[in-house]
Amino acid sequence: MALDATKLITVIICFILCIATKKYTKTWLNPLSMFSGIWSIILFLSTLGLHGLKTASCNTYYVICAGVTCFAVGYLLTYKSRYSFTFNKSYKHAGNEYVLRYQVIYILGIICIIYFAIKFLSVASIFFSGNGLAAIRVMAQSEEAATTGGGKFLNAVRILLVMPYAYAIIPITAMEIWFGRKDKKVLLICLSIIALRVLSEGGRISVVYFGLHLLIGFSLLDSYAMRIHDLSKRIRKNRKKLRIGVLVLVVIVLLASMSRTMSSLSTVTYYYFSMQPYMQEIWSKAVDEAHIIGYGVGSFNGLIFPILYLLKNILGIPFTTHFSQVYDMILETDSQWQIISTYYTRANAYVGTFWYFYLDGKVFGIILLSLIYGIMGGRLYSKAKRHTNIKNACLYSFYMQSIALSFSGFAFSSMYYGLAYLFIVFIAYKIRGKE
């Protein structure tokens, strides 16, 4: 198969950014290496056009490459800067001056466990009837699409409390293990929520998130020797509990894997990490045809939607026409399935981060928002490395989750992710000794 040389140039540029940043920071777990690495893989696999995958035009590759490059510029400008943009001076001090608000975590955790336990009981008959997690996953996706499911009150609890907390508790627990007091109740709450979500929603992404955050927290420890010593000490101390926990997680993941996919695993995996340029091109044309410019509403829907949701349901103020147009366009990427291969393979979502930036400002939106996204990454990484404390580490790790999932979409467009981020910033932690 002949490869397009002009498309390969974009792959090479992204790959060079990935390698160069790793050489500079001495680790792969930095925002720029991970972001450019993911997109170099996506662009390369997409160029191959395997399994009949339809490929995007060169212009789409150029736009994506420009986005990655602007992200790199923003990241490098901020990470290397000697100047602080933080107005809270106490936030700059090194050391573990932040602690969890444990009572808040416990109370909200119990509420969420009850919610997911009830949810699992409602789908248990489907699971035990032999349909497995695949059928549960379909039903869970239908519930997400229907924002009125379960009544207004339960729907509000799910949107504004349960799901944001379920997102936030994973990085919070991972950082508690490495930098906190290793609270067993927090760990139990987190593992219970992960297990119940897998069984009640049919997905296994929460398990992946937990592993990612543990890895990122491990990378932030002061030295390699400290990491290995601390890790081995905790493994020896909790060997029996660790075995049980790993066994339970393995069984859950295997159940999810066995029941969710009938197609070839390699083919499905290839599509997951190669369809983004073509999907971006399809939905960018849809944006052009609808004459929509989001002006930030699309990318930061996760921060805007909860406010408008409360105004609508409490004060009866309807969504603005502009917001509805942008929000409906985002929903269409999930509800409308596109043919992505010559074998008529159909797929939804997976438009990638840059489509959201395009929705908000076309090519200029990609340039500007990629730059801002990179600036945010450089700032969070710099604070996590230079002023390591549990809150800085948690915010950085949660940001890295958005990087890891950038092939799917832009995390801050999700109301759950947006509210979870605000929860970590304003509620989850307090300054040590300050009530």
mmCIF file with all atom_site columns, all heavy atoms in Angstrom, residues 385-404:
data_model
loop_
_atom_site.group_PDB
_atom_site.id
_atom_site.type_symbol
_atom_site.label_atom_id
_atom_site.label_alt_id
_atom_site.label_comp_id
_atom_site.label_asym_id
_atom_site.label_entity_id
_atom_site.label_seq_id
_atom_site.pdbx_PDB_ins_code
_atom_site.Cartn_x
_atom_site.Cartn_y
_atom_site.Cartn_z
_atom_site.occupancy
_atom_site.B_iso_or_equiv
_atom_site.pdbx_formal_charge
_atom_site.auth_seq_id
_atom_site.auth_comp_id
_atom_site.auth_asym_id
_atom_site.auth_atom_id
_atom_site.pdbx_PDB_model_num
ATOM 1   N N   . LYS A 1 385 ? 5.359   19.080 39.563 1.00 0.00 ? 385 LYS A N   1
ATOM 2   C CA  . LYS A 1 385 ? 6.750   18.653 39.705 1.00 0.00 ? 385 LYS A CA  1
ATOM 3   C C   . LYS A 1 385 ? 7.530   19.530 40.679 1.00 0.00 ? 385 LYS A C   1
ATOM 4   O O   . LYS A 1 385 ? 8.346   19.033 41.463 1.00 0.00 ? 385 LYS A O   1
ATOM 5   C CB  . LYS A 1 385 ? 7.445   18.676 38.340 1.00 0.00 ? 385 LYS A CB  1
ATOM 6   C CG  . LYS A 1 385 ? 6.918   17.657 37.348 1.00 0.00 ? 385 LYS A CG  1
ATOM 7   C CD  . LYS A 1 385 ? 7.244   16.234 37.763 1.00 0.00 ? 385 LYS A CD  1
ATOM 8   C CE  . LYS A 1 385 ? 8.717   15.921 37.557 1.00 0.00 ? 385 LYS A CE  1
ATOM 9   N NZ  . LYS A 1 385 ? 9.018   14.502 37.836 1.00 0.00 ? 385 LYS A NZ  1
ATOM 10  N N   . ARG A 1 386 ? 7.306   20.838 40.634 1.00 0.00 ? 386 ARG A N   1
ATOM 11  C CA  . ARG A 1 386 ? 8.121   21.770 41.425 1.00 0.00 ? 386 ARG A CA  1
ATOM 12  C C   . ARG A 1 386 ? 7.539   22.039 42.807 1.00 0.00 ? 386 ARG A C   1
ATOM 13  O O   . ARG A 1 386 ? 8.274   22.365 43.739 1.00 0.00 ? 386 ARG A O   1
ATOM 14  C CB  . ARG A 1 386 ? 8.286   23.086 40.659 1.00 0.00 ? 386 ARG A CB  1
ATOM 15  C CG  . ARG A 1 386 ? 8.986   22.914 39.320 1.00 0.00 ? 386 ARG A CG  1
ATOM 16  C CD  . ARG A 1 386 ? 8.998   24.193 38.513 1.00 0.00 ? 386 ARG A CD  1
ATOM 17  N NE  . ARG A 1 386 ? 9.540   23.978 37.176 1.00 0.00 ? 386 ARG A NE  1
ATOM 18  C CZ  . ARG A 1 386 ? 9.593   24.901 36.226 1.00 0.00 ? 386 ARG A CZ  1
ATOM 19  N NH1 . ARG A 1 386 ? 9.137   26.119 36.477 1.00 0.00 ? 386 ARG A NH1 1
ATOM 20  N NH2 . ARG A 1 386 ? 10.097  24.629 35.036 1.00 0.00 ? 386 ARG A NH2 1
ATOM 21  N N   . HIS A 1 387 ? 6.233   21.946 42.943 1.00 0.00 ? 387 HIS A N   1
ATOM 22  C CA  . HIS A 1 387 ? 5.574   22.186 44.227 1.00 0.00 ? 387 HIS A CA  1
ATOM 23  C C   . HIS A 1 387 ? 4.633   21.019 44.506 1.00 0.00 ? 387 HIS A C   1
ATOM 24  O O   . HIS A 1 387 ? 3.414   21.191 44.603 1.00 0.00 ? 387 HIS A O   1
ATOM 25  C CB  . HIS A 1 387 ? 4.803   23.508 44.207 1.00 0.00 ? 387 HIS A CB  1
ATOM 26  C CG  . HIS A 1 387 ? 5.592   24.671 43.704 1.00 0.00 ? 387 HIS A CG  1
ATOM 27  N ND1 . HIS A 1 387 ? 6.736   25.109 44.318 1.00 0.00 ? 387 HIS A ND1 1
ATOM 28  C CD2 . HIS A 1 387 ? 5.410   25.479 42.626 1.00 0.00 ? 387 HIS A CD2 1
ATOM 29  C CE1 . HIS A 1 387 ? 7.228   26.141 43.658 1.00 0.00 ? 387 HIS A CE1 1
ATOM 30  N NE2 . HIS A 1 387 ? 6.447   26.382 42.620 1.00 0.00 ? 387 HIS A NE2 1
ATOM 31  N N   . THR A 1 388 ? 5.205   19.853 44.643 1.00 0.00 ? 388 THR A N   1
ATOM 32  C CA  . THR A 1 388 ? 4.403   18.643 44.752 1.00 0.00 ? 388 THR A CA  1
ATOM 33  C C   . THR A 1 388 ? 3.633   18.596 46.067 1.00 0.00 ? 388 THR A C   1
ATOM 34  O O   . THR A 1 388 ? 4.216   18.623 47.146 1.00 0.00 ? 388 THR A O   1
ATOM 35  C CB  . THR A 1 388 ? 5.288   17.392 44.644 1.00 0.00 ? 388 THR A CB  1
ATOM 36  O OG1 . THR A 1 388 ? 6.044   17.457 43.437 1.00 0.00 ? 388 THR A OG1 1
ATOM 37  C CG2 . THR A 1 388 ? 4.434   16.133 44.630 1.00 0.00 ? 388 THR A CG2 1
ATOM 38  N N   . ASN A 1 389 ? 2.333   18.569 45.963 1.00 0.00 ? 389 ASN A N   1
ATOM 39  C CA  . ASN A 1 389 ? 1.469   18.259 47.099 1.00 0.00 ? 389 ASN A CA  1
ATOM 40  C C   . ASN A 1 389 ? 0.274   17.497 46.553 1.00 0.00 ? 389 ASN A C   1
ATOM 41  O O   . ASN A 1 389 ? 0.110   17.352 45.334 1.00 0.00 ? 389 ASN A O   1
ATOM 42  C CB  . ASN A 1 389 ? 1.050   19.526 47.861 1.00 0.00 ? 389 ASN A CB  1
ATOM 43  C CG  . ASN A 1 389 ? 0.300   20.522 46.998 1.00 0.00 ? 389 ASN A CG  1
ATOM 44  O OD1 . ASN A 1 389 ? -0.677  20.183 46.344 1.00 0.00 ? 389 ASN A OD1 1
ATOM 45  N ND2 . ASN A 1 389 ? 0.762   21.773 46.987 1.00 0.00 ? 389 ASN A ND2 1
ATOM 46  N N   . ILE A 1 390 ? -0.554  17.001 47.418 1.00 0.00 ? 390 ILE A N   1
ATOM 47  C CA  . ILE A 1 390 ? -1.608  16.082 46.990 1.00 0.00 ? 390 ILE A CA  1
ATOM 48  C C   . ILE A 1 390 ? -2.618  16.739 46.045 1.00 0.00 ? 390 ILE A C   1
ATOM 49  O O   . ILE A 1 390 ? -3.115  16.106 45.115 1.00 0.00 ? 390 ILE A O   1
ATOM 50  C CB  . ILE A 1 390 ? -2.311  15.476 48.223 1.00 0.00 ? 390 ILE A CB  1
ATOM 51  C CG1 . ILE A 1 390 ? -3.204  14.301 47.799 1.00 0.00 ? 390 ILE A CG1 1
ATOM 52  C CG2 . ILE A 1 390 ? -3.087  16.533 48.995 1.00 0.00 ? 390 ILE A CG2 1
ATOM 53  C CD1 . ILE A 1 390 ? -3.732  13.498 48.980 1.00 0.00 ? 390 ILE A CD1 1
ATOM 54  N N   . LYS A 1 391 ? -2.892  18.030 46.262 1.00 0.00 ? 391 LYS A N   1
ATOM 55  C CA  . LYS A 1 391 ? -3.861  18.704 45.398 1.00 0.00 ? 391 LYS A CA  1
ATOM 56  C C   . LYS A 1 391 ? -3.273  18.980 44.018 1.00 0.00 ? 391 LYS A C   1
ATOM 57  O O   . LYS A 1 391 ? -3.924  18.742 42.991 1.00 0.00 ? 391 LYS A O   1
ATOM 58  C CB  . LYS A 1 391 ? -4.326  20.010 46.051 1.00 0.00 ? 391 LYS A CB  1
ATOM 59  C CG  . LYS A 1 391 ? -5.413  20.727 45.240 1.00 0.00 ? 391 LYS A CG  1
ATOM 60  C CD  . LYS A 1 391 ? -5.934  21.949 45.980 1.00 0.00 ? 391 LYS A CD  1
ATOM 61  C CE  . LYS A 1 391 ? -7.046  22.635 45.199 1.00 0.00 ? 391 LYS A CE  1
ATOM 62  N NZ  . LYS A 1 391 ? -7.588  23.819 45.899 1.00 0.00 ? 391 LYS A NZ  1
ATOM 63  N N   . ASN A 1 392 ? -2.051  19.501 43.973 1.00 0.00 ? 392 ASN A N   1
ATOM 64  C CA  . ASN A 1 392 ? -1.394  19.721 42.683 1.00 0.00 ? 392 ASN A CA  1
ATOM 65  C C   . ASN A 1 392 ? -1.284  18.424 41.893 1.00 0.00 ? 392 ASN A C   1
ATOM 66  O O   . ASN A 1 392 ? -1.506  18.389 40.680 1.00 0.00 ? 392 ASN A O   1
ATOM 67  C CB  . ASN A 1 392 ? -0.009  20.313 42.897 1.00 0.00 ? 392 ASN A CB  1
ATOM 68  C CG  . ASN A 1 392 ? -0.047  21.775 43.286 1.00 0.00 ? 392 ASN A CG  1
ATOM 69  O OD1 . ASN A 1 392 ? -1.082  22.413 43.229 1.00 0.00 ? 392 ASN A OD1 1
ATOM 70  N ND2 . ASN A 1 392 ? 1.096   22.307 43.695 1.00 0.00 ? 392 ASN A ND2 1
ATOM 71  N N   . ALA A 1 393 ? -0.914  17.350 42.592 1.00 0.00 ? 393 ALA A N   1
ATOM 72  C CA  . ALA A 1 393 ? -0.768  16.053 41.936 1.00 0.00 ? 393 ALA A CA  1
ATOM 73  C C   . ALA A 1 393 ? -2.095  15.565 41.383 1.00 0.00 ? 393 ALA A C   1
ATOM 74  O O   . ALA A 1 393 ? -2.169  15.029 40.275 1.00 0.00 ? 393 ALA A O   1
ATOM 75  C CB  . ALA A 1 393 ? -0.185  15.033 42.919 1.00 0.00 ? 393 ALA A CB  1
ATOM 76  N N   . CYS A 1 394 ? -3.174  15.749 42.148 1.00 0.00 ? 394 CYS A N   1
ATOM 77  C CA  . CYS A 1 394 ? -4.494  15.283 41.720 1.00 0.00 ? 394 CYS A CA  1
ATOM 78  C C   . CYS A 1 394 ? -4.988  16.055 40.500 1.00 0.00 ? 394 CYS A C   1
ATOM 79  O O   . CYS A 1 394 ? -5.511  15.469 39.548 1.00 0.00 ? 394 CYS A O   1
ATOM 80  C CB  . CYS A 1 394 ? -5.489  15.408 42.871 1.00 0.00 ? 394 CYS A CB  1
ATOM 81  S SG  . CYS A 1 394 ? -7.085  14.634 42.548 1.00 0.00 ? 394 CYS A SG  1
ATOM 82  N N   . LEU A 1 395 ? -4.823  17.382 40.522 1.00 0.00 ? 395 LEU A N   1
ATOM 83  C CA  . LEU A 1 395 ? -5.261  18.195 39.379 1.00 0.00 ? 395 LEU A CA  1
ATOM 84  C C   . LEU A 1 395 ? -4.474  17.845 38.122 1.00 0.00 ? 395 LEU A C   1
ATOM 85  O O   . LEU A 1 395 ? -5.039  17.740 37.027 1.00 0.00 ? 395 LEU A O   1
ATOM 86  C CB  . LEU A 1 395 ? -5.097  19.677 39.706 1.00 0.00 ? 395 LEU A CB  1
ATOM 87  C CG  . LEU A 1 395 ? -6.115  20.262 40.689 1.00 0.00 ? 395 LEU A CG  1
ATOM 88  C CD1 . LEU A 1 395 ? -5.718  21.674 41.096 1.00 0.00 ? 395 LEU A CD1 1
ATOM 89  C CD2 . LEU A 1 395 ? -7.507  20.259 40.058 1.00 0.00 ? 395 LEU A CD2 1
ATOM 90  N N   . TYR A 1 396 ? -3.167  17.664 38.279 1.00 0.00 ? 396 TYR A N   1
ATOM 91  C CA  . TYR A 1 396 ? -2.343  17.289 37.134 1.00 0.00 ? 396 TYR A CA  1
ATOM 92  C C   . TYR A 1 396 ? -2.735  15.916 36.601 1.00 0.00 ? 396 TYR A C   1
ATOM 93  O O   . TYR A 1 396 ? -2.882  15.721 35.383 1.00 0.00 ? 396 TYR A O   1
ATOM 94  C CB  . TYR A 1 396 ? -0.869  17.290 37.526 1.00 0.00 ? 396 TYR A CB  1
ATOM 95  C CG  . TYR A 1 396 ? 0.022   16.616 36.528 1.00 0.00 ? 396 TYR A CG  1
ATOM 96  C CD1 . TYR A 1 396 ? 0.193   17.132 35.245 1.00 0.00 ? 396 TYR A CD1 1
ATOM 97  C CD2 . TYR A 1 396 ? 0.691   15.428 36.851 1.00 0.00 ? 396 TYR A CD2 1
ATOM 98  C CE1 . TYR A 1 396 ? 0.989   16.488 34.310 1.00 0.00 ? 396 TYR A CE1 1
ATOM 99  C CE2 . TYR A 1 396 ? 1.493   14.791 35.927 1.00 0.00 ? 396 TYR A CE2 1
ATOM 100 C CZ  . TYR A 1 396 ? 1.642   15.316 34.661 1.00 0.00 ? 396 TYR A CZ  1
ATOM 101 O OH  . TYR A 1 396 ? 2.443   14.680 33.738 1.00 0.00 ? 396 TYR A OH  1
ATOM 102 N N   . SER A 1 397 ? -2.941  14.963 37.499 1.00 0.00 ? 397 SER A N   1
ATOM 103 C CA  . SER A 1 397 ? -3.303  13.615 37.070 1.00 0.00 ? 397 SER A CA  1
ATOM 104 C C   . SER A 1 397 ? -4.646  13.604 36.353 1.00 0.00 ? 397 SER A C   1
ATOM 105 O O   . SER A 1 397 ? -4.833  12.912 35.349 1.00 0.00 ? 397 SER A O   1
ATOM 106 C CB  . SER A 1 397 ? -3.344  12.677 38.285 1.00 0.00 ? 397 SER A CB  1
ATOM 107 O OG  . SER A 1 397 ? -3.495  11.338 37.895 1.00 0.00 ? 397 SER A OG  1
ATOM 108 N N   . PHE A 1 398 ? -5.603  14.393 36.867 1.00 0.00 ? 398 PHE A N   1
ATOM 109 C CA  . PHE A 1 398 ? -6.920  14.451 36.230 1.00 0.00 ? 398 PHE A CA  1
ATOM 110 C C   . PHE A 1 398 ? -6.822  15.107 34.856 1.00 0.00 ? 398 PHE A C   1
ATOM 111 O O   . PHE A 1 398 ? -7.524  14.719 33.914 1.00 0.00 ? 398 PHE A O   1
ATOM 112 C CB  . PHE A 1 398 ? -7.893  15.214 37.121 1.00 0.00 ? 398 PHE A CB  1
ATOM 113 C CG  . PHE A 1 398 ? -9.342  14.941 36.822 1.00 0.00 ? 398 PHE A CG  1
ATOM 114 C CD1 . PHE A 1 398 ? -9.793  13.656 36.591 1.00 0.00 ? 398 PHE A CD1 1
ATOM 115 C CD2 . PHE A 1 398 ? -10.265 15.972 36.779 1.00 0.00 ? 398 PHE A CD2 1
ATOM 116 C CE1 . PHE A 1 398 ? -11.128 13.398 36.315 1.00 0.00 ? 398 PHE A CE1 1
ATOM 117 C CE2 . PHE A 1 398 ? -11.599 15.735 36.511 1.00 0.00 ? 398 PHE A CE2 1
ATOM 118 C CZ  . PHE A 1 398 ? -12.028 14.435 36.274 1.00 0.00 ? 398 PHE A CZ  1
ATOM 119 N N   . TYR A 1 399 ? -5.950  16.108 34.739 1.00 0.00 ? 399 TYR A N   1
ATOM 120 C CA  . TYR A 1 399 ? -5.700  16.717 33.431 1.00 0.00 ? 399 TYR A CA  1
ATOM 121 C C   . TYR A 1 399 ? -5.122  15.679 32.470 1.00 0.00 ? 399 TYR A C   1
ATOM 122 O O   . TYR A 1 399 ? -5.505  15.624 31.291 1.00 0.00 ? 399 TYR A O   1
ATOM 123 C CB  . TYR A 1 399 ? -4.737  17.885 33.584 1.00 0.00 ? 399 TYR A CB  1
ATOM 124 C CG  . TYR A 1 399 ? -4.272  18.481 32.268 1.00 0.00 ? 399 TYR A CG  1
ATOM 125 C CD1 . TYR A 1 399 ? -5.012  19.463 31.619 1.00 0.00 ? 399 TYR A CD1 1
ATOM 126 C CD2 . TYR A 1 399 ? -3.088  18.056 31.666 1.00 0.00 ? 399 TYR A CD2 1
ATOM 127 C CE1 . TYR A 1 399 ? -4.590  20.006 30.418 1.00 0.00 ? 399 TYR A CE1 1
ATOM 128 C CE2 . TYR A 1 399 ? -2.658  18.590 30.469 1.00 0.00 ? 399 TYR A CE2 1
ATOM 129 C CZ  . TYR A 1 399 ? -3.413  19.558 29.844 1.00 0.00 ? 399 TYR A CZ  1
ATOM 130 O OH  . TYR A 1 399 ? -2.990  20.089 28.637 1.00 0.00 ? 399 TYR A OH  1
ATOM 131 N N   . MET A 1 400 ? -4.201  14.855 32.952 1.00 0.00 ? 400 MET A N   1
ATOM 132 C CA  . MET A 1 400 ? -3.589  13.828 32.107 1.00 0.00 ? 400 MET A CA  1
ATOM 133 C C   . MET A 1 400 ? -4.616  12.800 31.630 1.00 0.00 ? 400 MET A C   1
ATOM 134 O O   . MET A 1 400 ? -4.453  12.201 30.570 1.00 0.00 ? 400 MET A O   1
ATOM 135 C CB  . MET A 1 400 ? -2.454  13.140 32.858 1.00 0.00 ? 400 MET A CB  1
ATOM 136 C CG  . MET A 1 400 ? -1.207  14.005 33.009 1.00 0.00 ? 400 MET A CG  1
ATOM 137 S SD  . MET A 1 400 ? -0.397  14.346 31.437 1.00 0.00 ? 400 MET A SD  1
ATOM 138 C CE  . MET A 1 400 ? 0.522   12.817 31.214 1.00 0.00 ? 400 MET A CE  1
ATOM 139 N N   . GLN A 1 401 ? -5.670  12.613 32.408 1.00 0.00 ? 401 GLN A N   1
ATOM 140 C CA  . GLN A 1 401 ? -6.761  11.747 31.948 1.00 0.00 ? 401 GLN A CA  1
ATOM 141 C C   . GLN A 1 401 ? -7.389  12.317 30.691 1.00 0.00 ? 401 GLN A C   1
ATOM 142 O O   . GLN A 1 401 ? -7.729  11.580 29.756 1.00 0.00 ? 401 GLN A O   1
ATOM 143 C CB  . GLN A 1 401 ? -7.811  11.601 33.048 1.00 0.00 ? 401 GLN A CB  1
ATOM 144 C CG  . GLN A 1 401 ? -9.016  10.767 32.641 1.00 0.00 ? 401 GLN A CG  1
ATOM 145 C CD  . GLN A 1 401 ? -10.029 10.616 33.760 1.00 0.00 ? 401 GLN A CD  1
ATOM 146 O OE1 . GLN A 1 401 ? -9.687  10.325 34.902 1.00 0.00 ? 401 GLN A OE1 1
ATOM 147 N NE2 . GLN A 1 401 ? -11.300 10.827 33.457 1.00 0.00 ? 401 GLN A NE2 1
ATOM 148 N N   . SER A 1 402 ? -7.535  13.636 30.639 1.00 0.00 ? 402 SER A N   1
ATOM 149 C CA  . SER A 1 402 ? -8.097  14.268 29.450 1.00 0.00 ? 402 SER A CA  1
ATOM 150 C C   . SER A 1 402 ? -7.167  14.099 28.248 1.00 0.00 ? 402 SER A C   1
ATOM 151 O O   . SER A 1 402 ? -7.624  13.952 27.113 1.00 0.00 ? 402 SER A O   1
ATOM 152 C CB  . SER A 1 402 ? -8.368  15.757 29.709 1.00 0.00 ? 402 SER A CB  1
ATOM 153 O OG  . SER A 1 402 ? -7.173  16.530 29.691 1.00 0.00 ? 402 SER A OG  1
ATOM 154 N N   . ILE A 1 403 ? -5.860  14.112 28.503 1.00 0.00 ? 403 ILE A N   1
ATOM 155 C CA  . ILE A 1 403 ? -4.889  13.891 27.428 1.00 0.00 ? 403 ILE A CA  1
ATOM 156 C C   . ILE A 1 403 ? -5.006  12.469 26.899 1.00 0.00 ? 403 ILE A C   1
ATOM 157 O O   . ILE A 1 403 ? -5.043  12.231 25.685 1.00 0.00 ? 403 ILE A O   1
ATOM 158 C CB  . ILE A 1 403 ? -3.453  14.143 27.933 1.00 0.00 ? 403 ILE A CB  1
ATOM 159 C CG1 . ILE A 1 403 ? -3.248  15.627 28.293 1.00 0.00 ? 403 ILE A CG1 1
ATOM 160 C CG2 . ILE A 1 403 ? -2.430  13.712 26.894 1.00 0.00 ? 403 ILE A CG2 1
ATOM 161 C CD1 . ILE A 1 403 ? -3.210  16.561 27.125 1.00 0.00 ? 403 ILE A CD1 1
ATOM 162 N N   . ALA A 1 404 ? -5.064  11.516 27.824 1.00 0.00 ? 404 ALA A N   1
ATOM 163 C CA  . ALA A 1 404 ? -5.134  10.107 27.437 1.00 0.00 ? 404 ALA A CA  1
ATOM 164 C C   . ALA A 1 404 ? -6.385  9.803  26.623 1.00 0.00 ? 404 ALA A C   1
ATOM 165 O O   . ALA A 1 404 ? -6.374  8.920  25.764 1.00 0.00 ? 404 ALA A O   1
ATOM 166 C CB  . ALA A 1 404 ? -5.086  9.228  28.685 1.00 0.00 ? 404 ALA A CB  1
#
